[in-house]
Amino acid sequence: MATGHYDLKKAKNGQFYFNLVAANGDIILNSEMYTTKAAANKGINSVRVNSPNKTRHEVRKNKSGKSYFVLKARNHQIIGVSEPYANEASMKKCIQSVMKAGPTESIRDLTKPDLVKHN
């Protein structure tokens, strides 16, 4: 049974980022921006390793009081951020989804290769 996958993307500014996508298609974790594709892949590997560990998920509140969580690596660096949730129960469900989907080996590389111009 599919548990989810990573979407590796390239931003308009040329940097790379990824989303962890649950089996139902919902984005459950967003990465920071990385200057290289290799660094983004290292970030994915870090999420794979750290996501199953409950102690790596830290619950926070945003300025409007909504709960969200961050996923931290062993060195306490943030490697992923969730969206804000209207209630804590929804947020806790999402943490469970990240713990389940995070270790997946499935990556969809959505970065566009540089186009070669033909004359």
Side-chain angles (χ1 to χ4, degrees):
M1 187 175 116
T3 58
H5 64 271
Y6 292 92
D7 281 342
L8 179 60
K9 301 176 180 181
K10 190 171 188 179
K12 287 184 173 115
N13 66 3
Q15 292 194 318
F16 297 87
Y17 67 100
F18 61 86
N19 303 120
L20 177 57
V21 182
N24 67 2
D26 288 347
I27 293 173
I28 54 177
L29 197 69
N30 303 296
S31 78
E32 64 180 341
M33 290 290 181
Y34 296 92
T35 54
T36 66
K37 192 173 182 176
N41 278 311
K42 280 186 180 178
I44 289 172
N45 286 330
S46 186
V47 172
R48 282 185 181 138
V49 169
N50 291 286
S51 59
N53 186 335
K54 197 171 191 168
T55 64
R56 301 277 198 264
H57 299 262
E58 182 179 294
V59 175
R60 297 183 174 183
K61 287 202 185 283
N62 66 15
K63 290 176 185 151
S64 34
K66 290 190 176 185
S67 295
Y68 70 100
F69 65 91
V70 296
L71 176 62
K72 291 184 166 186
R74 193 179 342 180
N75 65 1
H76 306 290
Q77 189 173 4
I78 295 172
I79 51 177
V81 181
S82 77
E83 65 180 45
Y85 290 90
N87 60 65
E88 209 157 306
S90 295
M91 184 196 58
K92 285 182 178 176
K93 265 186 177 175
C94 187
I95 290 173
Q96 293 299 317
S97 294
V98 169
M99 290 174 73
K100 183 178 174 185
T104 184
E105 294 291 319
S106 178
I107 300 174
R108 293 193 320 177
D109 187 345
L110 304 177
T111 61
K112 292 183 181 166
D114 293 326
L115 299 176
V116 177
K117 291 183 181 176
H118 297 284
N119 292 339

